[in-house]
Amino acid sequence: MDIPWWRDAVVYEIYVRSFADASGDGVGDLAGIRERLPYLRRLGVDAIWLTPFYPSPMADGGYDVADYRGVDPMFGSLDDFDALVTQAHELGLRVLVDVVPNHSSSAHPWFQEALRGVGRDRYIFRDHTNNWKSTFSGPAWTQTPDGQYYLHLFAPEQPDFNWRNREVHEEFLDVLRFWLERGVDGFRIDVAMGLYKAEGLPDVGDQSFTSVSPVWGQPEVHGVYREWRRLLDSYPGERMAVGEVWTDDAEDLARYVRPDELHQSFNFAWLEAPWSATAFRKVIDDTLAAVPYATWVLSNHDVVRHRTRYGTDDPGAGLARARAALLTMLALPGSAYLYQGEELGLPEVTDLPDDARQDPIFFRSKGELPGRDGCRVPIPWTVDPPSHGFSPGGVEPWLPQPESFAELSVEKQEGVADSTLECYRRALALRRALAGEIPYTLEWLDSPEGVLFFTRGPLICALNCGTGPVHLPEHTEVLLTSGPLKRGLLPQDTAVWLRRAS
Ligand code: GLC
């Protein structure tokens, strides 16, 4: 059987508001992305995933969709979208778009009708509430002027759909068709383990985002993905879907990744693992044992950037560890998802002024939680302020960039051999060059404590999460390192790719 394109693909997440602004309003847009496609081609990724660009009041950065078949004027037009897809395909880049089926915006015409008492059964209206909480803090219910309450697992501006209503299924099948006809290669499914809530909406004890509970992971949701899979398979060109599935374990994750359901699911266990060889090895073993098609991800627009996460105990180590984690991830079987800016080694921006913050998590927690704006700060393309090349002219970007972004800009790193950007480019190029020689399987080699050695065909990857330098496993050639070796030894917080002695 031919290997489907997505099995080993490296997909680059574009948070549209923060990637590149062509129109000069301080907010990223589709035309901005189009101008930067050659950069992405050069970086060496296979596909891009665009976060929602649909018409939206932006109560949750566009994850509150008011029209599933359009482009918000802030981001451009459908013509811009078509041009972006065409040009991406010309450059050999596939395009995934985000689909948000758990909830709409409260500005969606269906919800506006529901407020007027028409078609309430498309959402979840009740006379009484239960004890469910919003993922963004506060209650999950908001009362309407006529006394009924509606359910929103996120912000009040994001009412949850009622997937027990067949009309909701038909609507989303049609939305998928709309974008498939426009040539998208696949979908990233937002809150994919949501959609169905347990009958009767019983109270819950623990409602964490990751568990199977009356709130998440209801068995009926799999019927939705079986319908979607049939639709995707009816189009030519290996169209695919990847689910945003937060689960407690790999077996639960595997329930979504089946030949008649989703092609892939994000593997958040990898992103949640601490800087530890034991923890990494466990995630790798559990994942490969559970799912036929593995994925790996270190950062996205919802979590603290991994450079900062890995530096919690030792801030100086964050960048070296982030680069070592990248080499390790790219050596694993399966597909890898990168988040814009990680190739520059961007840290989480932790000191954004309160009046600049926009994430509903910050507001709903009354400032107790910082929210996710710190990983959404616009990309620095050039050295110069005010926007570091993000917007044309002297426009300020929608979130302020810290001074440190000048040194981390593309302009500053391009062509600098030991820069993070060049490290990503080399790793992606080598991964591509070796692809034909490398089997999907992985074997562990004996390694010292705190260190991982694994091999796949001619490639060995070694990662040192320990506290001192270690000897390299037997090899014929050092292919790539995430940082310098010291007298032939692998220092801590460093990874290396080696050619195995045959
Ligand atoms: C997903 C998105 C996140 C959004 C939430 C609600 O987790 O990644 O950004 O806030 O869903 O749509």
Side-chain angles (χ1 to χ4, degrees), residues 394-466:
V395 181
E396 298 276 350
W398 70 277
L399 275 176
Q401 298 152 310
E403 266 173 37
S404 64
F405 270 30
E407 284 302 305
L408 293 167
S409 63
V410 175
E411 181 182 21
K412 198 78 189 184
Q413 297 195 40
E414 191 125 59
V416 177
D418 64 356
S419 70
T420 304
L421 175 59
E422 295 300 342
C423 170
Y424 269 71
R425 285 177 174 171
R426 278 196 301 274
L428 289 165
L430 195 52
R431 178 181 155 108
R432 199 178 277 258
L434 292 171
E437 298 176 59
I438 296 198
Y440 186 82
T441 49
L442 168 154
E443 260 175 75
W444 295 105
L445 303 175
D446 287 341
S447 57
E449 206 180 313
V451 177
L452 297 180
F453 295 163
F454 64 84
T455 179
R456 294 178 59 209
L459 177 73
I460 299 176
C461 176
L463 166 70
N464 186 352
C465 301

Side-chain angles (χ1 to χ4, degrees), residues 13 15 49 60-64 98 100 102-103 136 154-155 158 188 190-191 209 244 246 300-302 359-361 372 376:
E13 177 189 357
Y15 191 70
W49 146 32
D60 180 23
Y63 282 95
D64 47 322
D98 224 303
V100 188
N102 182 69
H103 45 262
F136 291 166
F154 295 89
Q158 294 166 295
R188 178 266 188 188
D190 191 60
V191 197
F209 203 36
E244 187 208 15
W246 295 86
N300 67 29
H301 66 285
D302 290 327
D359 187 356
I361 292 183
R372 302 160 295 177
R376 300 173 175 181

Side-chain angles (χ1 to χ4, degrees), residues 84 91 230 257 284 297 301 343 374 397 444:
L84 173 58
L91 290 170
R230 283 197 293 276
V257 187
I284 294 169
V297 60
H301 66 285
E343 78 277 21
W444 295 105

Side-chain angles (χ1 to χ4, degrees), residues 140-161:
W141 296 92
T142 292
Q143 198 167 23
T144 58
D146 63 15
Q148 278 209 314
Y149 300 83
Y150 67 88
L151 179 71
H152 51 85
L153 294 180
F154 295 89
E157 296 87 352
Q158 294 166 295
D160 280 50
F161 281 116

Side-chain angles (χ1 to χ4, degrees), residues 156-175:
E157 296 87 352
Q158 294 166 295
D160 280 50
F161 281 116
N162 172 22
W163 276 86
R164 297 185 189 281
N165 179 343
R166 190 62 219 168
E167 201 184 348
V168 176
H169 289 244
E170 298 305 333
E171 173 65 3
F172 273 92
L173 286 167
D174 196 61
V175 166

Side-chain angles (χ1 to χ4, degrees), residues 10-185:
V10 177
V11 184
Y12 184 96
E13 177 189 357
I14 295 185
Y15 191 70
V16 177
R17 285 199 293 175
S18 302
F19 188 64
D21 166 26
S23 71
D25 61 355
V27 180
D29 47 43
L30 299 180
I33 298 170
R34 187 147 68 94
E35 286 172 8
R36 301 291 180 180
L37 286 176
Y39 166 84
L40 296 171
R41 170 77 213 159
R42 171 85 213 282
L43 182 61
V45 299
D46 301 296
I48 56 175
W49 146 32
L50 307 175
T51 58
F53 47 78
Y54 315 112
S56 165
M58 297 285 152
D60 180 23
Y63 282 95
D64 47 322
V65 180
D67 172 4
Y68 287 88
R69 297 175 186 78
V71 174
D72 195 285
M74 180 194 283
F75 299 128
S77 63
L78 275 173
D79 285 344
D80 290 320
F81 179 80
D82 293 341
L84 173 58
V85 172
T86 304
Q87 196 166 332
H89 286 167
E90 278 167 14
L91 290 170
L93 295 165
R94 310 254 185 177
V95 180
L96 311 184
V97 298
D98 224 303
V99 56
V100 188
N102 182 69
H103 45 262
S104 70
S105 161
S106 52
H108 190 284
W110 275 12
F111 192 74
Q112 289 300 309
E113 280 180 19
L115 287 180
R116 295 195 299 272
V118 180
R120 278 205 171 173
D121 195 39
R122 293 162 175 156
Y123 294 90
I124 301 175
F125 279 83
R126 293 289 182 275
D127 292 332
H128 304 284
T129 64
N130 63 9
N131 75 348
W132 295 7
K133 298 266 174 300
S134 152
T135 313
F136 291 166
S137 296
W141 296 92
T142 292
Q143 198 167 23
T144 58
D146 63 15
Q148 278 209 314
Y149 300 83
Y150 67 88
L151 179 71
H152 51 85
L153 294 180
F154 295 89
E157 296 87 352
Q158 294 166 295
D160 280 50
F161 281 116
N162 172 22
W163 276 86
R164 297 185 189 281
N165 179 343
R166 190 62 219 168
E167 201 184 348
V168 176
H169 289 244
E170 298 305 333
E171 173 65 3
F172 273 92
L173 286 167
D174 196 61
V175 166
L176 298 185
R177 270 185 223 110
F178 180 87
W179 296 104
L180 288 166
E181 300 290 338
R182 299 198 101 86
V184 305
D185 299 284

